[in-house]
Amino acid sequence: QKEVEQNSGPLSVPEGAIASLNCTYSDRGSQSFFWYRQYSGKSPELIMFIYSNGDKEDGRFTAQLNKASQYVSLLIRDSQPSDSATYLCALSGSARQLTFGSGTQLTVLP
Amino acid sequence: ETGVTQTPRHLVMGMTNKKSLKCEQHLGHNAMYWYKQSAKKPLELMFVYNFKEQTENNSVPSRFSPECPNSSHLFLHLHTLQPEDSALYLCASSQGTGKDEQYFGPGTRLTVT
């Protein structure tokens, strides 16, 4: 099992819909969780981080963490075409560095 | 300048050339990283420096040689590269290593001919 698993997609949603991106992980000792957005040809940009079980909201973004089930998700409300990008899940666990997933490609259709 | 900067943004080099990539962070962070991102592949961690000391080398070939003169600057010296080394090279920094979020520079798009 990969340390961090993401559905590579592509995930397509219509404009205005809720996009749901999921990430599962294997290291139960993982403590910090991050979501990065990466536009094509650009570098990853940090958009959310979450440390505790539950939901964390920031504007149109909500991160959800469930440590018992070992998953973290990112919800994007009122999706816009400008949200079309690859979303990377990252976490810190027993490894000394962040571990990144391979990313989910999201396309928001106008 | 703010955040993490990288130069050059684009680089084309032959297999026998020697070049260097530069990264500078203006965030007061103590840790700096080099990543490689090839097309359709996940991020690959190459090197980690914490307080100028190299703490991780992920089995990177010796044709890549990092240098960290201080906590704000990081270099990646390149020599006798192969075409498969063509990729986006990303520098990142964080306050410490492990739990802290990392902030990325814009990257250097490297093409080896």
Side-chain angles (χ1 to χ4, degrees):
Chain A
Q1 183 184 6
K2 291 182 182 177
E3 292 182 67
V4 182
E5 292 216 46
Q6 294 184 257
N7 187 328
S8 62
L11 172 66
S12 295
V13 299
E15 185 173 354
I18 296 175
S20 178
L21 305 161
N22 300 309
C23 173
T24 58
Y25 59 93
S26 58
D27 183 355
R28 285 196 169 273
S30 300
Q31 299 178 18
S32 307
F33 303 83
F34 308 89
W35 282 101
Y36 287 82
R37 176 177 62 199
Q38 186 173 23
Y39 292 114
S40 180
K42 303 295 184 182
S43 62
E45 172 193 9
L46 180 68
I47 54 173
M48 290 283 289
F49 58 86
I50 185 167
Y51 303 140
S52 304
N53 276 328
D55 294 1
K56 179 181 179 182
E57 189 174 316
D58 184 0
R60 295 187 296 112
F61 298 99
T62 298
Q64 299 176 318
L65 175 60
N66 185 321
K67 291 186 179 180
S69 299
Q70 295 175 247
Y71 79 80
V72 57
S73 61
L74 179 70
L75 302 179
I76 306 175
R77 290 183 301 281
D78 188 24
S79 295
Q80 301 297 309
S82 59
D83 294 324
S84 298
T86 296
Y87 289 80
L88 304 173
C89 170
L91 55 88
S92 70
S94 54
R96 291 178 295 172
Q97 312 306 334
L98 291 190
T99 302
F100 284 84
S102 55
T104 297
Q105 184 182 344
L106 172 67
T107 301
V108 180
L109 303 170
Chain B
E1 294 275 16
T2 58
V4 181
T5 59
Q6 289 185 245
T7 55
R9 297 291 306 276
H10 300 272
L11 178 61
V12 179
M13 59 187 289
M15 294 168 60
T16 58
N17 290 160
K18 289 185 180 181
K19 296 287 184 183
S20 296
L21 310 184
K22 178 183 176 182
C23 175
E24 184 173 358
Q25 59 95 1
H26 308 267
L27 300 169
H29 288 165
N30 298 311
M32 297 187 77
Y33 310 78
W34 279 118
Y35 287 89
K36 175 184 178 183
Q37 190 175 40
S38 303
K40 308 293 185 185
K41 289 186 178 181
L43 284 168
E44 298 175 49
L45 179 65
M46 300 175 72
F47 301 103
V48 181
Y49 279 82
N50 194 22
F51 289 98
K52 302 188 302 177
E53 299 298 320
Q54 187 179 123
T55 58
E56 197 146 338
N57 174 339
N58 269 2
S59 303
V60 180
S62 60
R63 58 185 183 269
F64 295 92
S65 175
E67 178 189 0
C68 187
N70 54 60
S71 293
S72 299
H73 294 84
L74 185 64
F75 295 88
L76 187 62
H77 304 299
L78 316 171
H79 63 98
T80 60
L81 294 191
Q82 305 299 311
E84 60 264 29
D85 296 322
S86 299
L88 181 67
Y89 288 84
L90 292 161
C91 174
S93 72
S94 64
Q95 183 60 47
T97 58
K99 299 182 180 64
D100 297 326
E101 60 270 25
Q102 295 179 14
Y103 295 89
F104 287 84
T108 295
R109 174 69 61 186
L110 173 67
T111 302
V112 181
T113 60

